[in-house]
Amino acid sequence: MITRRKALKTAALAAGAFTLAPSLLKAQAVSPAAGGTYPFKLPELPYGYDALEPYIDTLTMHLHHDKHHAAYVENLNKALAEAGDPFQKMTVEELLLHLNEVPEKVRTAVRNNGGGHYNHSLFWQMLKKNEGGQPTGELASAMTQTFGSYPEFQQKFSSAAATVFGSGWAWLGVDDKNLKISTTPNQDNPISKPGEKAIPLLGLDVWEHSYYLKYQNRRPEYIKAFWNVVNWDYVGQRYRNAMTA
Ligand code: MN3
């Protein structure tokens, strides 16, 4: 039995009454994380599988992208096949921002697999061998202002990533124009956290599948290696988008 309240809510959604924070919309319009709507497709890596060697190995990239990310996409599509309209017309960002309106029977599946698709689509773009490169321009200034220096930021972010219990992510984001380090469990993203609407700039996947083949249980070594493959141009662009939104 569908309640009147639910029916009204569904009608409102169908009419496009769901709204996104304008800042989030603008930031994502310039740097879309995961394009399109249902049925979602696995995006190609923006570089070769071996491009991040020796910091992230080729086999890990194959499994991580071709198997893990592909499974999130497949399972998100299965959940949305059941969810129907208007959810099939939403981008992955919209789904994550409106999780509470997703039908209960598939809400957890959309949260985990939509989050998995979104997080990994972002993650691939955030990586690039940087030859010791560091953030520049406005992002570098903001980092110094917020954390003291780039090394202090690295230390705080690394410590957050190292202490995620079990599977999850560490994030640098912009929350109300301020830089902020946070962590999420599982495949949650800062945009899907109740009460928090930080725009993610940089994320680090600390699920064991992202490092176990090369680093085994030595997560801190993986985190240290990560600093060699941060795409600071992309992160800096996301920062500018977030601040001018
Ligand atoms: Mn992963």
Side-chain angles (χ1 to χ4, degrees):
M1 242 316 253
I2 188 157
T3 63
R4 183 180 149 74
R5 203 171 142 262
K6 266 190 185 159
L8 281 174
K9 207 169 180 185
T10 306
L13 279 169
F18 56 89
T19 50
L20 288 178
S23 61
L24 207 53
L25 265 181
K26 194 165 174 190
Q28 284 156 1
V30 189
S31 298
T37 55
Y38 172 85
F40 289 99
K41 288 186 184 68
L42 178 66
E44 288 202 11
L45 278 184
Y47 35 71
Y49 291 95
D50 61 353
L52 308 175
E53 289 271 10
Y55 307 107
I56 301 180
D57 61 288
T58 305
L59 182 57
T60 294
M61 289 303 288
H62 267 288
L63 294 169
H64 200 172
H65 176 269
D66 304 356
K67 303 294 180 192
H68 291 279
H69 189 172
Y72 296 125
V73 173
E74 192 185 328
N75 290 323
L76 173 61
N77 286 335
K78 272 186 200 159
L80 290 173
E82 266 192 72
D85 271 339
F87 305 100
Q88 294 181 353
K89 294 193 177 71
M90 292 185 180
T91 63
V92 71
E93 286 94 347
E94 288 167 337
L95 287 164
L96 295 178
L97 285 163
H98 295 276
L99 277 176
N100 287 340
E101 289 142 46
V102 171
E104 217 172 327
K105 61 179 177 177
V106 293
R107 192 177 303 155
T108 302
V110 170
R111 178 180 184 164
N112 291 338
N113 296 292
H117 176 41
Y118 184 59
N119 290 346
H120 288 84
S121 299
L122 277 173
F123 189 50
W124 309 133
Q125 298 179 76
M126 288 163 173
L127 301 179
K128 187 188 179 184
K129 221 192 273 186
N130 64 28
E131 311 296 351
Q134 296 189 6
T136 56
E138 295 154 55
L139 176 59
S141 312
M143 237 176 222
T144 303
Q145 208 176 358
T146 308
F147 304 107
S149 63
Y150 175 61
E152 281 173 275
F153 155 73
Q154 282 181 300
Q155 191 269 319
K156 285 175 181 134
F157 185 98
S158 298
S159 155
T163 51
V164 171
F165 184 75
S167 300
W169 292 74
W171 302 98
L172 170 69
V174 168
D175 192 359
D176 200 18
K177 307 282 180 195
N178 297 309
L179 288 179
K180 182 177 170 183
I181 292 169
S182 65
T183 63
T184 52
N186 306 312
Q187 293 297 353
D188 287 354
N189 182 284
I191 69 166
S192 50
K193 264 190 181 175
E196 192 191 325
K197 292 293 173 225
I199 299 170
L201 305 179
L202 174 65
L204 176 56
D205 187 345
V206 295
W207 282 58
E208 285 186 345
H209 69 223
S210 65
Y211 64 86
Y212 208 85
L213 286 180
K214 184 176 171 78
Y215 298 97
Q216 290 88 47
N217 60 322
R218 303 184 306 277
R219 190 193 286 182
E221 274 182 40
Y222 159 70
I223 295 168
K224 198 174 167 200
F226 166 70
W227 297 113
N228 295 291
V229 292
V230 176
N231 184 349
W232 286 117
D233 290 340
Y234 178 72
V235 177
Q237 184 60 51
R238 288 188 69 84
Y239 178 70
R240 285 193 295 281
N241 296 342
M243 295 303 282
T244 55

